[in-house]
Amino acid sequence: MGASPLIQIKGLSVGFTGLSGRTLPVLHDVDLSVARGQSVGLVGESGSGKSTLALAAMGYLKSGLRLLNGTVRFDGHDMFDQRRTGLEAIRGGQLGLVPQNAGQSLTPTIRIGKQMAEALRLHSPLPRADHRARALELLEQVRLPDPEAIYRRYAHELSGGQQQRVAIAMALAGDPDALLLDEPTTGLDVTTQAHILDLLRDLAQARHMAMLYVSHDLGVIARTCDRVMVMYAGEVVLEGGTRDVLRAPVHPYARGLLASIPKLADTHLPVALEGRPPAPGEGRTGCAFAPRCALASDECRAAPVAMQTAARGMQARCLHHERVAALPLGGTGAAPVHTVRDGPPALALEDLAVCYARPGFWDKLTGAAPPVATVQGITTQIARGETLGLVGESGSGKSTILKAIAGLLAPLAGTIALDGNTPLPPLVAARRPAQLRRVQLIFQNPDDSLNPRHSVAQILAQPLKLYHGLGGPALRARQEALLEQVRLGAHYLDRLPRQLSGGEKQRVAIARAFAADPDIVLCDEVTSALDVSVQAAVLELLNDLKAAAAATYVFVSHDLAVVHALADRVAVLYQGRLCEIGPTAAVYGRPSHPYTEVLLGAVLEPDPDAAPRLLTNDAADLAPPATGCPFQRRCPRHMGAVCDTEVPPPRSGPDGHVIYCHLPAEALEADMAPGGTAS
Amino acid sequence: MSGVAQARSSGRMQRLWCVLRDVAARPSGAVGLSLVGFHILLAALGPWLVPYDTGAMSSGEMLETPSMAHWMGTDHLGRDIASRVMLGGREALIVTGLATPLAMLWGGFTGLALGLAGGRIDEAMMRIVDAFLSLPGILILLVLVMTFGTSNAVLVPTLGFLFGIPIIRVARAATHEVIARDFVAAARARGHGAMTIIAVELLPNVRDTLMVEGAMRWSWMLLAFSSLSFLGFGVAPPTPDWGLMIADGRIYMSLALWGVLGPVIALSSLIVGINLAADALAKSLGIDRARKAVI
């Protein structure tokens, strides 16, 4: 560790001028230092100022933001020096940035090699003749297969994980002393994420770099950082060693945040944090967290709270830090889960197949082989009142199946039947209003699924008018009742979506689905656009609503822990084919399909001791294989020709769950061969 | 229900008022709105303001230079040019004022419907639109006017039809931005009809773009109308009209400069005004992405 920290931020305040003309702070008196060889995690929910802080470490502020106070130094150099000299040499040179969405930060029209050469030209002392060799070396270092091929490709020809690796390689081009990582794995599949994090850890160790790691995901932080800073409303509220902060947080917000994360080992729903964080500049006389805090006293509300030294060297912005550990976690958090129901089926899928690609004119003429279906052979029954979870990586066909059930996509083959015996017409246009009413869809991103020009009242009125013909006072009463059900007050009726927070928007979207009085609610990644604390509240709401409305859920998520928290039965999908389906406990336990094992192994938990088990060489396929098992190309237990040619038969396990695999049951029971795992 | 509807419409008025105020707060908007307002007021109150009868000829005062009696001089028939310039926009404003909403209505609706329908119908219709757009507008206009006559009852629908065609393209493009969003998928999944989806889900999201496009089309339409008059197919001679005045006056330009300059200044100030106002409107409505508000 160097004598003086590489990145040193002191008393940093950043703000913008609001519409009222007042200066509203986004960051408030933040201190931060990162030494060589150290990795510091910045955690917080959206709007907590974590990204602003990380970008400020580069001497950059988003347009509209102003430096109000404080200094930012990198290697002794003032990054907000008026003359801004030497900044170009530091940015991208000594200080590299890995952005959140590499796909958007790479230029689509220039080959990867040329973009890498550009970075080297600006930041590397090497002569131009050596740039190609160096670029290939960097691509090799980020463990990209076949760097020569990658070098010649365009960004869109790479998968998300590969793009992120290229972005990391480019950040390394200037041989940086420090890396800023702004949510580098958000949006990637769990397996890819775990691999990238491993890579970053190894790189940091090998190069003795300082890393500032921004993430909303405590699991990611647990995996990569030595120290954690938890941010809330533009302030650092807790700072300490990763292990201490994750094991025994001494700030009530951090404790609440940890409790709201669904974990695989939990047997209850995560506990939601009540309330919401204050908007910038919103009444801040005392502790910003006081309105949501169970420990808050008059003292907390009276004056700003300074950092206090707490147990095990942690710094907490809390007057009652020694009482946090004893704090009871609010909420119910004990909802019964994993009930397997034997009732009549509410929905039955029979050999469902969906294909996006239509054979073209030329294909028809030449009689080319039909395109491989995106989704194939989905057969299952969902009992009334049950929650079926669909999990899998991106491209596994989860959302496609939901769209087919909702009638937005015509299936290639197979039937969808209500009550197990009334087949539904394939498309919405052919379904009767009564059938339409019974199946409702909730989308991933409420920013996209709520019309920005409609008030909440108009949004809720649509299904109420369409299906129930309500109007006048009856409509108003029903709208108010629905809002009450999703725990929003009647005063929300006149608001527009942009006047609501992310969680409130999703509640309105949920209320709209339940306005129809549905029997089957299709939930498409409904919590993945939300902060964890909000996610917990939405999961709780969904669970309560299901009980009240006796609805059946099909719940799609890429997050295995979320599905574990809510689903009674789980189906694991890969490339649009079923791998495993059964009661939640059975699927998450043994025996399991090799793919389920890979997925579960890659889950990151907010626990410093939980290391993911990864396959050494693991990259998702881009299209399903034409024959055989869908997982054949990635499977660590590939058996040979039979996997490549024959579709694996369903094998019923002892606990009522079905695995689609050629391997014998006893082999599935055992752990993966140790040779097949990394780290 | 009526209470709710009333509240909604008053909310709409409030929004319109807010947008107007925002437009007026911008320099280009302030100049544009006052120019357009000035012209509309002049056209409306002109008949009571003009110092001379626009048709009154005076053989003793032909082609006079500007004087205290005649600010802009007189034309070849001895008519007061200033009075004629003041009233010369009336016909143009009435015709285009009716034809612009017509163009927005039919072009906007067709564009929305095509955007929603997609597929082959959309492709086929857009090729027809392309064919129309590839012809010089004034040519089609001349053919139509020569076939059906030059009365306002012909000009309004003709101009409306012709200037609705480019609006189809704009409305369709704006629809495409909205159509991929989940709230449209949600409406489809609920089973709403195409008309409801257009009116309830799509229209509110493309309205702003249509408004700005409509304003721009209005200025083009004014120019087209004046061109028709200039060519002798628009307003019939005794009625004062800028295009007609330019056509008549240009022969005597060396003698009575204001006979051309007056209507030219009037017409171009109105068109510049509309363009400035449309520009400010686009910025106020946030269509101009270059300048995005922070938070």
Side-chain angles (χ1 to χ4, degrees), chain A residues 447-448 451 454 462 467, chain B residues 181 183 190 200-201 205 208:
Chain A
D447 283 323
D448 214 39
N451 194 329
H454 286 180
Q462 290 188 41
Y467 297 127
Chain B
R181 299 189 57 184
F183 60 82
R190 276 198 302 274
V200 179
E201 305 288 346
N205 288 287
D208 291 351

Side-chain angles (χ1 to χ4, degrees), chain A residues 16 63-64 406 408 428 436 440-441 443 447-454 458 462-463 465-467 472 512, chain B residues 1 4 8 12 15 180-192 200-202 204-205 207-208 294-295:
Chain A
F16 66 96
S63 78
L408 291 172
V428 162
L436 289 167
Q440 291 294 314
L441 184 58
F443 293 84
D447 283 323
D448 214 39
S449 69
L450 302 181
N451 194 329
R453 297 301 170 102
H454 286 180
Q458 283 167 290
Q462 290 188 41
K465 283 183 188 164
L466 181 72
Y467 297 127
R512 177 175 66 181
Chain B
M1 194 59 207
V4 175
R8 198 177 295 160
R12 234 172 243 166
R15 177 157 183 269
R181 299 189 57 184
D182 281 341
F183 60 82
V184 181
R188 276 188 171 145
R190 276 198 302 274
H192 285 295
V200 179
E201 305 288 346
L202 299 178
N205 288 287
R207 197 189 288 134
D208 291 351
V294 181
I295 310 189

Side-chain angles (χ1 to χ4, degrees), chain B residues 104 167 170 206-219 274-275 277-288:
Chain B
M104 282 168 71
I167 296 180
V170 173
V206 302
R207 197 189 288 134
D208 291 351
T209 314
L210 277 181
M211 295 276 284
V212 174
E213 180 64 16
M216 298 303 288
R217 287 295 145 204
W218 183 23
S219 73
I274 294 174
N275 276 289
D279 204 40
L281 182 68
K283 283 178 180 153
S284 298
L285 295 172
I287 296 170
D288 188 353

Side-chain angles (χ1 to χ4, degrees), chain A residues 43 218 227-230 238-251 254-255 258 312 314-315 608:
Chain A
V43 201
L218 280 165
R227 291 184 70 71
V228 185
M229 295 172 70
V230 181
L238 178 63
E239 187 185 352
T242 306
R243 183 174 301 271
D244 301 323
V245 168
L246 293 180
R247 282 284 154 79
V250 289
H251 192 281
R255 191 174 149 85
L258 269 166
R312 289 181 299 287
M314 279 186 274
Q315 298 275 315

Side-chain angles (χ1 to χ4, degrees), chain A residues 603-664:
Chain A
V603 170
L604 291 176
E605 299 242 45
D607 178 351
D609 296 326
R613 291 170 296 126
L614 297 175
L615 301 177
T616 39
N617 251 331
D618 198 22
D621 299 315
L622 294 177
T627 58
C629 169
F631 195 52
Q632 55 181 268
R633 282 171 278 184
R634 267 175 83 183
C635 187
R637 300 167 155 205
H638 193 275
M639 282 166 49
V642 63
C643 295
D644 296 340
T645 52
E646 278 175 51
V647 177
R651 242 179 241 281
S652 295
D655 37 14
H657 91 294
V658 182
I659 299 176
Y660 293 77
C661 186
H662 290 294
L663 283 167

